[in-house]
Amino acid sequence: AYRAPIGSKIAVQGRGFTKFDKVHFGSDAVETTYLSETSLQFVVPALPSGIDYSLILEGGAGKLPIGDFRIDESEMRTTPRSVEVTSGDVVTLLFQIPFDAPAGGMPVKIETDVAPSVIMPDVRIPQGAKSISAPVKGGVPGSGSLFVNVPGIKELVVPVTVTAVGPEAGIVTVLSQDLQALPTEPGLLNVNAT
């Protein structure tokens, strides 16, 4: 069986090829480029990995089986590798894949075990791109994980922590404003640390 990860460009050698010939993974036609009468090239599609697909060449002579093809699992990365955000604030998460996204782009399915804590838009890596940035907004305080899935790519788990806006921050602000209004004579202000 032939094998490669999603996005790989694979050569098909033979004779009598035309610009109308297409390579199929099972019943799905994939991006195929005519190079010459003796060479075609196709791009491994974004399909689930670890499965053997029937590779078929379709052309003027009908459908010709080429053999089996297995899509190898790829890995994706995020930057940062974990998310720490305060409720109401937004951080940017960069999703990166090791190949150009195919025609139509690559959907990035994101699930979480702390849904009220994480607010995110739908994410799709655009056609021809290798990455996309997406905002992550902190919701209700909590911690858990984002589970990131892209067809043919190993699931990525991103730890996420959403913290509350600290009450201390508000108190310090109020105290500093109040201190400016007080007289500066010694002994008039008694501060107790807690």
Side-chain angles (χ1 to χ4, degrees):
Y2 303 100
R3 61 188 309 151
I6 295 171
S8 297
K9 293 180 180 180
I10 307 296
V12 177
Q13 305 294 317
R15 40 191 165 126
F17 293 133
T18 71
K19 63 181 179 179
F20 301 106
D21 292 335
K22 279 282 190 194
V23 173
H24 291 254
F25 269 65
S27 60
D28 298 330
V30 298
E31 183 181 336
T32 306
T33 305
Y34 170 80
L35 300 174
S36 71
E37 286 186 8
T38 59
S39 184
L40 295 175
Q41 185 179 61
F42 70 89
V43 177
V44 177
L47 295 171
S49 61
I51 298 172
D52 288 335
Y53 295 90
S54 296
L55 209 55
I56 299 167
L57 175 64
E58 182 178 15
K63 294 184 178 184
L64 174 68
I66 298 173
D68 290 333
F69 196 99
R70 178 171 285 235
I71 298 176
D72 289 333
E73 191 171 66
S74 298
E75 291 189 11
M76 88 176 313
R77 296 185 326 192
T78 61
T79 304
R81 291 188 178 159
S82 63
V83 175
E84 294 183 18
V85 62
T86 303
S87 291
D89 285 348
V90 176
V91 296
T92 300
L93 189 58
L94 177 69
F95 298 90
Q96 297 172 295
I97 56 176
F99 51 86
D100 293 339
M106 284 292 269
V108 179
K109 182 180 176 187
I110 303 168
E111 297 178 330
T112 183
D113 54 3
V114 286
S117 297
V118 180
I119 303 162
M120 287 190 73
D122 289 338
V123 178
R124 177 179 287 276
I125 298 172
Q127 176 177 330
K130 291 183 179 181
S131 64
I132 190 166
S133 296
V136 179
K137 183 175 182 179
V140 176
S143 62
S145 299
L146 298 176
F147 303 96
V148 183
N149 288 284
V150 172
I153 296 182
K154 181 180 177 181
E155 179 179 75
L156 180 65
V157 179
V158 179
V160 60
T161 302
V162 178
T163 55
V165 176
E168 300 81 21
I171 292 171
V172 170
T173 302
V174 170
L175 283 178
S176 67
Q177 290 173 352
D178 290 345
L179 287 174
Q180 292 173 359
L182 291 175
T184 56
E185 295 177 29
L188 290 180
L189 182 62
N190 187 5
V191 177
N192 294 319
T194 54

